[in-house]
Amino acid sequence: YMSNGVLVFIEHRNGAINKSSLEAIAAAQKLGGALGQSVTAVVLANEAVAEDIAGYDVVKVIHATNEKLAAYTPDAYADALEQIVKQVDPSLVFLTHTYQVRDFAPKLAARFGKSLISDCIRARVEGSNLTFTRRIFLGKLDADVSSDGAAPLFATFQTGAYRPDQAQKGTGAAVEQVAVEIGEVRMVPEAPFQEAKQA
């Protein structure tokens, strides 16, 4: 039994899709096509955005719902996406390279015992292997990163690695609504006197 498919996280704010989400779709379509893997998109808590994304060439759009997803918190997003990743069982998870993703994605990847391959500038397929290239040392060197093969693999692409207009439209994908469970969301930092006591 093999994990299969590419899951793409769609970031949106106030109903507007972040254009790097379209870049992530373009990356997933291109690499998924080369690997013979289908693309599924996941949208947290916005049905209108899920319907928009259904217009792209993806097999389906998962619309994850929970009232705690209304406002972004890293815990809630990690909880929701952990459940969706477990349900979809993809071999690859592509995310936008944004501050929001940098905030929650390492936490999400860690729950699967994985690291996040972040800020990739390109990826190439050789046989059934995927190699990611990232810039290191302030962009002076390119480093190739290959996965150990165990799914899921989490990666983000640098803005501009793919173009939003490379995301191919489709004939209309099904939108599947999935209610996710989210643990207690801590909105406020703990009061300073508690930390002082521990010191």
Side-chain angles (χ1 to χ4, degrees):
Y1 171 71
M2 287 288 288
S3 302
N4 196 13
V6 187
L7 182 67
V8 182
F9 166 69
I10 305 297
E11 186 176 329
H12 58 83
R13 186 165 291 145
N14 305 327
I17 297 168
N18 187 312
K19 83 172 192 324
S20 58
S21 294
L22 301 181
E23 295 176 17
I25 289 177
Q29 287 172 337
K30 185 172 180 207
L31 297 164
L35 290 163
Q37 299 208 8
S38 60
V39 178
T40 300
V42 55
V43 174
L44 302 186
N46 191 307
E47 194 164 4
V49 169
E51 296 290 348
D52 277 355
I53 295 296
Y56 286 88
D57 187 14
V58 295
V59 288
K60 74 174 168 190
V61 179
I62 294 171
H63 173 218
T65 60
N66 185 305
E67 60 203 20
K68 291 178 183 165
L69 292 170
Y72 168 72
T73 63
D75 288 336
Y77 270 46
D79 280 358
L81 287 165
E82 179 184 8
Q83 287 165 63
I84 299 298
V85 170
K86 283 180 174 162
Q87 184 183 323
V88 175
D89 194 23
S91 52
L92 301 164
V93 180
F94 287 173
L95 303 109
T96 48
H97 190 70
T98 59
Y99 289 112
Q100 187 185 88
V101 168
R102 275 181 238 182
D103 189 41
F104 79 79
K107 182 189 290 270
L108 171 65
R111 293 184 184 188
F112 291 89
K114 307 294 269 182
S115 55
L116 176 71
I117 304 176
S118 65
D119 216 9
C120 300
I121 52 168
R122 60 182 173 269
R124 65 181 187 274
V125 174
E126 289 155 350
S128 59
N129 281 349
L130 193 49
T131 301
F132 294 91
T133 304
R134 30 195 321 251
R135 291 256 149 94
I136 56 172
F137 299 122
L138 302 173
K140 291 185 181 69
L141 282 179
D142 287 356
D144 283 350
V145 182
S146 295
S147 84
D148 56 7
L153 188 149
F154 295 85
T156 69
F157 288 92
Q158 212 175 72
T159 304
Y162 292 84
R163 295 199 318 271
D165 60 10
Q166 288 173 317
Q168 292 163 7
K169 295 281 193 173
T171 49
V175 175
E176 181 186 325
Q177 195 153 316
V178 177
V180 289
E181 286 176 33
I182 287 171
E184 199 172 315
V185 173
R186 292 185 299 279
M187 293 295 284
V188 288
E190 303 210 327
F193 68 84
Q194 291 174 307
E195 287 168 29
K197 266 196 306 204
Q198 289 160 358

